[in-house]
Amino acid sequence: MSASKKIICSLIVDEISIRKRIEWDRDKFSGYVDLGTQLDNDCLPPAKQALTFMLNALNANWKIPVAYFLIDSLNALERSNLISECLRLVFDTGVEATALTFDGTSVNISTANNLGAKIQEKDLKPYFPHPITSEKVFVILDVCHMLKLVRNTLASKGSIINQNGDIIKWDYIKQLEKFQKDKGLYPFEGRWDTVCPTFFKIFFHKLV
């Protein structure tokens, strides 16, 4: 990428579970909560999650982790402060973040609202101002996680109603799964172009 071309990225924030364990590394104990404050105190609780920050280039082909924090738990205000600081530091390097992506958990929704967005059914505002430029930073909830939430809601509630008033029942999924077992249908694990090369060729050319 040329030096004159602006780098535009999406900031991805995610949590991963880690094993709670305190270890001595010949210099100090590690495994406690660490937010980068250089606070060394054995009164801190052991960390059980890592909050990770990664940049994914939108006009180039790369991604890179930029920060991580060892946490026990963080509320929405603390998370929004970390995200704002990350956006500031990233901007100082010449990178412009135009989107924020994370799971659709309740704490992340509150985090987005604290940043200035309005993730709600009415008067939706899916963006917040960049802490330096005031340009729009769009909030994108992770699609795979949102699909899992819909699936779990449908399974636990039994049915949901779409925007047209139609009822979607979990029983339909159960019937489909039973039909699959009864008929011996299983997901195909081979290559579709070897099963139906003519169709694959036509379909591929339509895509390109």
Side-chain angles (χ1 to χ4, degrees):
M1 179 177 292
S2 63
S4 60
K5 185 176 180 180
K6 180 186 294 185
I7 303 176
I8 301 176
C9 292
S10 172
L11 177 62
I12 302 173
V13 180
D14 198 10
E15 294 178 41
I16 58 174
S17 296
I18 59 177
R19 183 172 59 177
K20 296 174 64 173
R21 182 172 178 176
I22 306 301
E23 292 184 342
W24 175 256
D25 60 5
R26 298 184 180 181
D27 181 38
K28 63 178 182 178
F29 285 104
S30 60
Y32 293 107
V33 166
D34 186 355
L35 297 179
T37 58
Q38 306 299 323
L39 180 62
D40 188 8
N41 190 337
D42 58 7
C43 293
L44 292 171
K48 61 182 180 181
Q49 291 176 319
L51 183 65
T52 61
F53 291 67
M54 183 173 69
L55 287 179
N56 186 14
L58 301 180
N59 59 346
N61 188 26
W62 56 262
K63 60 181 66 174
I64 184 172
V66 293
Y68 71 90
F69 302 94
L70 302 180
I71 64 173
D72 177 47
S73 64
L74 285 180
N75 59 38
L77 179 59
E78 293 168 329
R79 291 168 186 263
S80 60
N81 288 337
L82 289 177
I83 291 173
S84 293
E85 184 63 18
C86 183
L87 291 174
R88 293 189 187 95
L89 294 175
V90 166
F91 181 81
D92 291 341
T93 67
V95 175
E96 182 177 350
T98 60
L100 170 65
T101 300
F102 46 31
D103 290 343
T105 59
S106 58
V107 67
N108 283 341
I109 299 296
S110 297
T111 298
N113 292 339
N114 282 338
L115 289 167
K118 291 183 179 179
I119 309 301
Q120 55 195 27
E121 183 178 358
K122 295 182 179 180
D123 300 324
L124 176 66
K125 179 187 172 186
Y127 57 85
F128 60 90
H130 191 282
I132 294 181
T133 66
S134 296
E135 294 291 332
K136 294 179 180 178
V137 179
F138 288 88
V139 178
I140 303 175
L141 302 180
D142 182 72
V143 175
C144 292
H145 185 257
M146 298 307 294
L147 287 174
K148 291 179 181 178
L149 292 179
V150 172
R151 178 201 62 189
N152 294 343
T153 300
L154 180 58
S156 62
K157 299 298 183 180
S159 64
I160 57 178
I161 300 176
N162 66 13
Q163 67 272 21
N164 298 322
D166 301 321
I167 299 178
I168 304 172
K169 296 182 178 180
W170 178 251
D171 189 57
Y172 298 154
I173 307 297
K174 294 169 63 176
Q175 291 179 29
L176 182 62
E177 192 267 344
K178 182 178 183 302
F179 177 82
Q180 176 179 300
K181 282 187 175 181
D182 292 344
K183 299 299 182 180
L185 302 176
Y186 300 97
F188 178 65
E189 297 180 353
R191 291 181 53 184
W192 285 106
D193 57 334
T194 61
V195 176
C196 188
T198 302
F199 172 79
F200 181 83
K201 185 176 181 180
I202 295 174
F203 181 72
F204 178 77
H205 282 297
K206 285 185 177 181
L207 288 179
V208 297

